[in-house]
Amino acid sequence: MADSELRWHPLLREWVAVATQRQGRPQLPEDWCPFCPGSGRVPNDYDVYLYPNDFPAFSFENPSFSPEPGLLQTTGAKGACDVVLYSPNHRLLPSQLAVEQWGKVIDLWAARTAELFSRSEVRYVSVFENAGVAIGVTMPHPHGQIYAFPFIPPLIQRELDSALLYHREQSGCLYCRILEGEMEDGRRLVASNDSFVAFLPFFGRFPSEMQICARRHMGTLPELNEAERRDLASLLKIVREKYDNLYGFPMPLMMLLRQSPAAGEHPYFHFHIDFLPIQRSATKLKYLASVESGHGTFLNDTRAEEQAALLRRAEPKT
Ligand SMILES: [Zn+2]
Ligand SMILES: [Zn+2]
């Protein structure tokens, strides 16, 4: 029997990944890190490294994803869960990574995305990072993750639907129009360079929610050219530094790279990165409680214009 399976939620019409082996994750000795050189689990001299998740919710070894009709449907959680190690240095925060190191991380993201796109079982590749103890991260070693899904996750599908609808009705790109508006307005801009712009979307759901949007209309990580990779590395560093300097400690956040699905044509989609922090002030966390988790309606305790001004001023310390 596979260690994980997908169960259909007929009320919400979406998949739930049931992966009970994750409960058996060992309590690791405090002075031992599997991601550190010398652990025996990673090469002794790596720079950036793709580490297969020890307790994957999705795996290519699971039975195939082939849903059958029925109220209590289950199917195989085929896919992949990788861990991306950003650096061999255990204590380095993502905000402390050199721009050059971020460049290597981006190259790894793009190469792994291309590899996963080439597999017919994969419908969506998500590159993301959970950062901070408050988010539930147990391992301080700087790392992110890559999930390959055998279906398009519901929030991605909703975005695709919105972008397609806008494209049909207005014959343009929803993201390009939003970016144009933000640049014209200026109040929510945080930082930018030749290839990317970082701003707090007018409609952000999380406190200090930020988006890095590509200036060029393109859809996926492998499409980034050399100059764009360099510019993205540089802006990622600036954004992470600003977040960590906003309240004077590492910002607990989720970083999500949004790209087009693995197969099919999606010319109306536009590559961007969402940052979802959960710190709503220096001393308070934002919890997803009944209104958010039970209704899908977010209460945001901050205003994008004010937070953007604070983030513009939160200059790197070095
Ligand atoms: Zn480590
Ligand atoms: Zn666009």
Side-chain angles (χ1 to χ4, degrees), residues 23-181:
Q23 292 283 31
R25 280 187 285 189
Q27 199 73 33
L28 297 169
E30 279 199 1
D31 54 352
W32 186 78
C33 168
F35 304 157
C36 274
S39 70
R41 311 289 288 276
V42 295
N44 279 333
D45 59 350
Y46 76 88
D47 201 358
V48 290
Y49 187 66
L50 193 74
Y51 180 92
N53 195 312
D54 291 321
F55 303 95
F58 296 91
S59 166
F60 287 123
E61 282 158 30
N62 284 344
S64 65
F65 177 77
S66 47
E68 305 278 346
L71 199 56
L72 304 182
Q73 283 184 64
T74 63
T75 191
K78 194 122 180 145
C81 295
D82 308 318
V83 175
V84 179
L85 304 181
Y86 295 172
S87 159
N89 185 341
H90 185 80
R91 289 282 156 212
L92 216 56
L93 291 165
S95 59
Q96 295 168 329
L97 288 184
V99 172
E100 190 198 18
Q101 193 68 18
W102 273 116
K104 291 173 189 169
V105 173
I106 293 166
D107 286 341
L108 184 60
W109 286 341
R112 182 59 173 162
T113 296
E115 208 171 275
L116 291 166
F117 274 8
S118 71
R119 298 192 64 132
S120 59
E121 312 97 303
V122 173
R123 297 290 308 284
Y124 194 78
V125 175
S126 180
V127 176
F128 63 94
E129 178 191 326
N130 293 323
V133 176
I135 290 279
V137 181
T138 46
M139 196 65 69
H141 200 114
H143 70 283
Q145 304 183 57
I146 301 180
Y147 269 37
F149 294 88
F151 55 87
I152 297 179
L155 280 184
I156 306 294
Q157 189 59 59
R158 266 178 78 179
E159 249 195 67
L160 287 165
D161 292 346
S162 306
L164 177 60
L165 189 68
Y166 187 89
H167 184 76
R168 280 197 186 134
E169 287 177 351
Q170 311 287 330
S171 69
C173 166
L174 178 56
Y175 303 90
C176 283
R177 295 282 164 83
I178 290 172
L179 182 59
E180 270 168 38

